[in-house]
Amino acid sequence: MNPESFAAGERLVSPAYVRQGCEARRSHEQAIRLLLEQGKCPEDGWDESTLELFLHELAVMDSNNFLGNCGVGEREGRVASALVARRHYRLIHGIGRSGDISAVQPKAAGSSLLNKITNSLVLNVIKLAGVHSVSSCFVVPMATGMSLTLCFLTLRHKRPKAKYIIWPRIDQKSCFKSMVTAGFEPVVIENVLEGDELRTDLNAVEAKVQELGPDHILCIHSTTSCFAPRVPDRLEELAVICANYDIPHVVNNAYGLQSSKCMHLIQQGARVGRIDVFVQSLDKNFMVPVGGAIIAGFNDPFIQEISKMYPGRASASPSLDVLITLLSLGCAGYKKLLKERKEMFVYLSTQLKKLAEAHNERLLETPHNPISLAMTLKTLDGHHDKAVTQLGSMLFTRQVSGARAVPPGSVQTVSGHTFRGFMTHTDNYPCAYLNAAAAIGIRMQDVDSFIKRLDKCLNAARKEKNKARAAAAVDEDNRAADVDIEEMALKLDNVLGDVDQHPSL
């Protein structure tokens, strides 16, 4: 309602009441005006009425919501289901144009504004999380793997001779497939074991650069967030190698945005060397539905090149989800979640260590991994190969999700490449182990329930292992008894044979 509408309302309702309502509306409009002027996440989160007013105002700016609109094109924002229309707040046109995912659509000013303000808020939050020198980013409606592929395809035009991507090993299929899908040959660099941790082999990386030649290398593809006992790559040192050899550097920061340590590594890598782009997931860092990622970097023209590489328009759903989430939380709410995650990591570490010791296991020492933990499963692995995977199944059936029981020595072929010791990030890790992570949104009751159920499962798995061992022992005794009987029968046959040959006996 505009001032004229309020003035007209005063003829129907007491002017004092109308003015009060007008002031209330102005408070909503003030929040929206500050958002559009500053392009930053508000310190305190918005209430739902302000959010819905804002989204409604955006929606009525799109042509499909114009009163009397006459669309005669092939894409006019028509939606058959009213439920679908409400689910998307009637923002139907998506984002971008055919040549650029960040471009403005003439007939969808509201959706275009949503896209711009979302990218601006996300950039603000990345700086808040620790990468202060980031200059540009955009939300893309693809998960991390395909977003990495988009980055590699953009680099292809800059490095036409390139054939290889140097990749310190991390056993996660989408990372590997992102390189193969882009048409490049991943050069796997095995990690080195330092204590319990698996760390980047910098000497092997540099040796491979010299062997293949910098011009034939598209980029170094490094990783921050990962499952223990692997830890984030040595980003600063890799960034220096990239700068020295003039090789692009792409960082898979999938769920690292929630970790100040991972973000610090990216900031430092960009300061001392070269990082071209870093990619992070929306769902893992902002607790929204799966389907979006953030592509960010330190060079505006290059990030714009990546956005122009995306073919066609794109879904606005991931942008809408993260916009609603950030405006609901505000900076204060998101910082509170980051703080709570750190506290829960310490709590999970303490509780898991106590449980491990109670079962004659130990918590692996992985101080460089700020999110994931691992405890040994030697007492299970030592006697029964299936006991480790059985523990994982037992946890899952007891509604424990996210924990990974990892046996050593498993073999997996991904896009034609065979990985030995798959899921352990190395060919021969010394023992089986169980993973657990303290990611954003985890609560104390989640940790307590997990520890209680894991304790029961470990006891049950140990009983199953003992049963299997006892059964194996019985089988061995039976085989030994069978051998003794066969030997006695043979001796008896020999004696009877002697009697037949010598009747006098």
Side-chain angles (χ1 to χ4, degrees):
M1 292 173 66
N2 56 29
E4 290 81 6
S5 298
F6 281 111
E10 290 180 3
R11 294 196 294 270
L12 303 172
V13 178
S14 169
Y17 298 159
V18 172
R19 283 195 295 271
Q20 187 179 29
C22 183
E23 288 299 319
R25 182 181 175 92
R26 281 201 189 102
S27 64
H28 295 296
E29 293 174 342
Q30 173 76 355
I32 294 171
R33 183 180 63 80
L34 287 174
L35 173 68
L36 297 176
E37 286 179 354
Q38 298 174 358
K40 293 182 178 180
C41 189
E43 183 61 25
D44 298 313
W46 288 5
D47 63 284
E48 285 191 14
S49 58
T50 306
L51 258 169
E52 292 193 330
L53 174 64
F54 178 49
L55 295 175
H56 175 71
E57 295 284 352
L58 291 177
V60 297
M61 295 171 66
D62 284 2
S63 62
N64 61 292
N65 298 311
F66 291 174
L67 295 177
N69 181 63
C70 177
V72 292
E74 84 290 351
R75 182 189 285 116
E76 295 300 328
R78 302 183 182 103
V79 178
S81 168
L83 181 60
V84 171
R86 291 198 302 274
R87 173 178 178 260
H88 293 276
Y89 284 90
R90 294 180 171 79
L91 292 158
I92 309 302
H93 280 286
I95 58 175
R97 301 187 74 181
S98 58
D100 185 352
I101 196 175
S102 298
V104 173
Q105 294 187 62
K107 60 183 176 183
S111 294
S112 299
L113 186 55
L114 179 148
N115 188 28
K116 295 292 185 183
I117 200 67
T118 300
N119 291 342
S120 183
L121 261 61
V122 168
L123 183 66
N124 177 221
V125 170
I126 290 174
K127 292 179 178 180
L128 178 77
V131 183
H132 308 295
S133 61
V134 63
S135 64
S136 183
C137 76
F138 66 97
V139 172
V140 61
M142 302 185 295
T144 309
M146 285 302 296
S147 298
L148 287 166
T149 297
L150 188 66
C151 297
F152 299 141
L153 290 171
T154 306
L155 284 171
R156 177 193 291 277
H157 297 285
K158 290 179 171 291
R159 302 177 71 80
K161 296 181 181 178
K163 180 181 177 183
Y164 306 101
I165 295 177
I166 292 181
W167 180 64
R169 177 177 170 179
I170 175 169
D171 290 353
Q172 211 275 340
K173 292 180 182 179
S174 65
C175 305
F176 192 81
K177 289 182 176 180
S178 69
M179 298 178 283
V180 176
T181 301
F184 294 96
E185 182 179 329
V187 178
V188 182
I189 304 296
E190 291 293 333
N191 299 300
V192 291
L193 186 64
E194 297 181 8
D196 290 332
E197 293 183 325
L198 290 165
R199 306 210 65 188
T200 317
D201 190 340
L202 295 169
N203 292 331
V205 170
E206 189 160 16
K208 189 59 70 171
V209 169
Q210 294 171 350
E211 176 190 333
L212 299 174
D215 289 344
H216 297 101
I217 298 169
L218 182 80
C219 66
I220 290 179
H221 177 194
S222 63
T223 304
T224 55
S225 53
C226 54
F227 297 120
R230 197 194 191 281
V231 299
D233 281 320
R234 300 180 190 267
L235 248 62
E236 291 182 49
E237 293 88 340
L238 289 174
V240 170
I241 291 174
C242 288
N244 291 341
Y245 290 93
D246 192 26
I247 297 172
H249 187 183
V250 176
V251 180
N252 174 11
N253 189 44
Y255 50 99
L257 196 150
Q258 63 190 274
S259 163
S260 58
K261 182 175 287 188
C262 290
M263 297 302 272
H264 176 73
L265 287 173
I266 293 172
Q267 176 63 35
Q268 286 299 101
R271 186 182 66 82
V272 303
R274 177 173 178 174
I275 291 180
D276 294 74
V277 60
F278 56 104
V279 179
Q280 39 274 304
S281 165
L282 283 182
D283 62 282
K284 293 174 183 173
N285 293 292
F286 295 102
M287 295 187 291
V288 295
V290 172
I294 304 166
I295 296 176
F298 305 91
N299 181 278
D300 286 354
F302 179 59
I303 300 302
Q304 289 170 13
E305 281 185 52
I306 299 174
S307 72
K308 291 177 181 177
M309 179 62 65
Y310 187 97
R313 289 171 175 79
S315 169
S317 290
S319 296
L320 180 60
D321 290 340
V322 75
L323 176 66
I324 292 172
T325 301
L326 289 177
L327 290 178
S328 299
L329 290 171
C331 287
Y334 193 65
K335 285 189 284 189
K336 182 172 180 285
L337 286 172
L338 298 182
K339 179 175 177 290
E340 289 172 351
R341 190 208 68 79
K342 278 188 177 181
E343 293 169 352
M344 285 300 99
F345 178 78
V346 174
Y347 183 65
L348 175 62
S349 177
T350 302
Q351 297 303 109
L352 198 56
K353 184 176 182 180
K354 288 179 183 177
L355 181 68
E357 291 171 351
H359 287 272
N360 296 318
E361 301 287 359
R362 68 183 183 88
L363 186 69
L364 294 174
E365 294 290 333
T366 55
H368 292 96
N369 194 318
I371 300 175
S372 178
L373 296 162
M375 65 170 277
T376 63
L377 295 175
K378 288 184 177 179
T379 55
L380 293 183
D381 183 49
H383 301 281
H384 184 34
D385 292 341
K386 294 183 179 179
V388 174
T389 52
Q390 186 180 24
L391 174 65
S393 299
M394 292 169 69
L395 286 168
F396 186 75
T397 57
R398 286 159 179 79
Q399 299 182 354
V400 175
S401 59
R404 301 163 70 248
V406 184
S410 62
V411 178
Q412 179 85 43
T413 299
V414 182
S415 298
H417 184 92
T418 299
F419 292 90
R420 302 194 178 280
F422 188 72
M423 291 175 66
T424 65
H425 318 288
T426 187
D427 285 352
N428 296 293
Y429 196 75
C431 65
Y433 58 84
L434 177 81
N435 276 130
I440 190 168
I442 190 172
R443 302 163 300 171
M444 185 174 287
Q445 53 263 45
D446 294 324
V447 176
D448 292 340
S449 297
F450 165 62
I451 294 297
K452 187 181 294 184
R453 294 173 194 179
L454 176 58
D455 183 36
K456 290 181 179 179
C457 288
L458 285 170
N459 288 327
R462 188 169 287 107
K463 287 179 182 178
E464 289 296 323
K465 179 200 71 174
N466 291 337
K467 284 182 183 178
R469 186 167 56 182
V474 170
D475 289 342
E476 184 63 30
D477 291 343
N478 290 338
R479 281 194 295 270
D482 290 342
V483 170
D484 291 340
I485 291 172
E486 289 176 3
E487 290 178 350
M488 291 176 64
L490 183 61
K491 289 178 181 179
L492 182 60
D493 286 343
N494 290 336
V495 170
L496 292 175
D498 291 340
V499 171
D500 290 340
Q501 293 178 8
H502 305 284
S504 60
L505 294 175

